[in-house]
Amino acid sequence: MPTQRQISVRRAPKYVPFLLAGGIVGVVAAAFVSFTVPAPADYTQESVFGYFMVLFAAGGVLVGAIVALVLDRLSMRRTERAVVEEVDDDQPAGTAPAPTDETTHASAEGEPTHDGGDAPSSADGTGAEGDGNRDGTGRGAH
């Protein structure tokens, strides 16, 4: 008999895009600050930009990480519980467990569904991809 477990499902942010976005915003802010203010006499405009870029990019990455952490905490409030059922890999395809409400709903609307296996499903349920052959062999009349 398949075992059932409860899991938590939530949408969590990906941290790398937030870190990259924060770093890019920091570099843009450094360019704006360094090129709008005249450079001191001992330094070139580019070296001032380099100093500001290091400082602002690090600060931007830090702000991006904080934003991602806050969004991650907020996503925990919207956590939903779900029940999953473990199915043996050696179970034949014809003895699959009863469909859930979501798959029944998709089938009722005439949308093609996919059972998660290696072979793609077709609208007529044969597994053949539009070749017109209903035996599922994938060979059409030549």
Side-chain angles (χ1 to χ4, degrees):
M1 172 166 228
T3 60
Q4 291 184 346
R5 293 185 351 200
Q6 282 195 353
I7 61 169
S8 298
V9 180
R10 67 183 178 101
R11 292 180 53 110
K14 293 183 180 183
Y15 287 84
V16 174
F18 281 94
L19 299 176
L20 288 175
I24 290 171
V25 168
V27 169
V28 170
F32 178 75
V33 168
S34 66
F35 290 116
T36 56
V37 176
D42 297 344
Y43 300 101
T44 64
Q45 199 73 31
E46 290 78 19
S47 64
V48 172
F49 170 66
Y51 294 130
F52 279 136
M53 183 178 67
V54 170
L55 291 173
F56 284 29
V61 168
L62 181 64
V63 169
I66 291 171
V67 168
L69 285 172
V70 167
L71 290 175
D72 189 32
R73 287 290 178 197
L74 291 175
S75 74
M76 287 184 165
R77 293 181 184 170
R78 297 188 194 113
T79 301
E80 295 180 9
R81 304 292 290 169
V83 177
V84 293
E85 190 172 290
E86 184 178 333
V87 179
D88 295 332
D89 288 339
D90 58 342
Q91 183 178 12
T95 60
T100 62
D101 292 337
E102 294 174 23
T103 56
T104 305
H105 178 69
S107 298
E109 292 181 2
E111 299 174 10
T113 58
H114 193 281
D115 60 356
D118 294 331
S121 298
S122 63
D124 61 359
T126 62
E129 286 280 328
D131 60 354
N133 191 358
R134 298 193 53 80
D135 67 355
T137 60
R139 290 176 271 148
H142 294 285

